[in-house]
Amino acid sequence: MNNSPIGVFDSGLGGLSTVRAIRKLLPNEDIIYFGDTGRVPYGTRSNETIESYTAQDIKFLQSFDCKMIAVACGTVSTVSRELISKLPVLSTGILVPSAKAAAAATKNGKIGIMGTSATVNSGAFETEIKKYNPSATVVPVACPLLVSLVESNWLDVNDDVTNPAVRRYMKPILDNGCDTVILGCTHFPLLSPIIRNVAGEGVTLIDSGLEEAKYIEERLNAENMRNSSEHIGSAKFFVSDRPQNFSSVASVLLGENIDGSCSFVDIFKYI
Ligand code: DGL
């Protein structure tokens, strides 16, 4: 048993898709969340910049003595996968859980990947999927604009800007007949209703946040590191820009008011 918190981070709001799933699957776990809202997006930046941001984000979370670091950012999970695998604490990203789930779900072996430019350029999803399904055809599409649309809270299922953007990005995936699509950026599960409408019912959507949360549950159980108390787990949020901007959207996405538990952190101090 281990009652330390789980540390979760992303460039902004996207990691809330992981937090949302952890709150459901592991309600008595405490969570420390860092959203690097002052530097979002990560997915259009160089690998060097992403790695240096990752190191700072992890250093901040380690100051809370977290029992596990969950990288709730597809960009960091793919670009900085070496760095994550060498951490001295239990850690995970979205890459392996999502790739495994997609390889298991596909019937026709055609898997679409929606991610950031950095994620698509890394080729990490193709490599990982082929470990579980060597003959799979993978159709990766970089969807950078969708990150800004989520950060702007343009999530309504009828939104007249987000809908055509999703349709345009998904076209090559659907034209190639993919029966499974990985939402390989944690911002994208927050667009699930729109993506579902565009993809149709016959396509399996892999929610990277949910798959990561399932993996966290599995690992904590295997390591006997679950929180032993019966309490409802707390969630504290830290951001690198104005907390109000984050907490108003996050409260809606999580279905709980987080105004009082969201604070600013000067991430530049963590080098
Ligand atoms: N949520 C992110 C990801 O999963 C980041 C998007 C971005 O910062 O560009 O890739």
Side-chain angles (χ1 to χ4, degrees):
M1 295 293 161
N2 185 326
N3 290 357
S4 296
I6 301 170
V8 183
F9 76 94
D10 177 45
S11 58
L13 287 162
L16 295 178
S17 51
T18 299
V19 171
R20 194 163 67 176
I22 297 175
R23 303 286 275 163
K24 277 213 184 94
L25 295 178
L26 302 163
N28 66 334
E29 295 293 341
D30 296 324
I31 297 172
I32 303 288
Y33 183 86
F34 173 63
D36 199 357
T37 52
R39 304 190 290 196
V40 64
Y42 280 14
T44 50
R45 299 180 193 273
S46 68
N47 289 1
E48 293 71 23
T49 302
I50 294 165
E51 297 233 318
S52 85
Y53 289 178
T54 302
Q56 288 183 318
D57 302 348
I58 290 173
K59 194 150 193 191
F60 169 64
L61 288 177
Q62 281 178 323
S63 70
F64 293 89
D65 200 20
C66 294
K67 64 181 170 187
M68 183 169 194
I69 301 286
V71 179
C73 173
T75 305
V76 172
S77 304
T78 50
V79 171
S80 308
R81 55 193 189 284
E82 283 279 313
L83 197 157
I84 300 163
S85 68
K86 290 189 184 131
L87 289 177
V89 284
L90 207 57
S91 61
T92 181
I94 66 153
L95 174 63
V96 176
S98 306
K100 266 192 192 168
T106 184
K107 299 216 162 42
N108 69 5
K110 294 182 184 173
I111 300 172
I113 297 159
M114 298 170 76
T116 64
S117 307
T119 290
V120 166
N121 292 339
S122 76
F125 269 111
E126 287 91 319
T127 310
E128 202 58 38
I129 288 168
K130 301 250 178 194
K131 284 186 193 162
Y132 310 108
N133 186 343
S135 60
T137 303
V138 176
V139 182
V141 178
C143 314
L145 197 58
L146 299 188
V147 176
S148 311
L149 295 173
V150 171
E151 290 290 323
S152 307
N153 196 22
W154 289 14
L155 306 175
D156 189 273
V157 71
N158 296 315
D159 191 277
D160 55 2
V161 173
T162 308
N163 268 284
V166 168
R167 222 174 293 124
R168 180 160 169 180
Y169 281 133
M170 291 196 83
K171 191 169 186 313
I173 291 176
L174 301 174
D175 285 354
N176 277 286
C178 296
D179 70 353
T180 302
V181 179
I182 299 179
L183 309 183
C185 165
T186 51
H187 279 70
F188 301 166
L190 304 173
L191 294 170
S192 286
I194 298 179
I195 294 175
R196 165 61 62 215
N197 279 354
V198 172
E201 288 303 324
V203 174
T204 303
L205 301 181
I206 304 295
D207 176 333
S208 45
L210 175 61
E211 295 308 325
E212 181 172 39
K214 287 191 212 159
Y215 181 78
I216 293 169
E217 181 180 27
E218 225 173 79
R219 287 302 304 276
L220 291 181
N221 286 341
E223 305 287 334
N224 197 21
M225 282 172 67
R226 290 284 296 271
N227 193 310
S228 60
S229 61
E230 304 268 306
H231 75 317
I232 306 274
S234 65
K236 290 199 182 95
F237 299 85
F238 295 87
V239 289
S240 53
D241 207 301
R242 242 182 260 125
Q244 295 80 353
N245 295 3
F246 177 88
S247 62
S248 59
V249 184
S251 297
V252 175
L253 294 175
L254 292 174
E256 54 184 296
N257 189 333
I258 68 150
D259 282 348
S261 39
C262 184
S263 325
F264 171 79
V265 59
D266 182 359
I267 195 64
F268 293 99
K269 285 192 182 149
Y270 295 84
I271 39 171

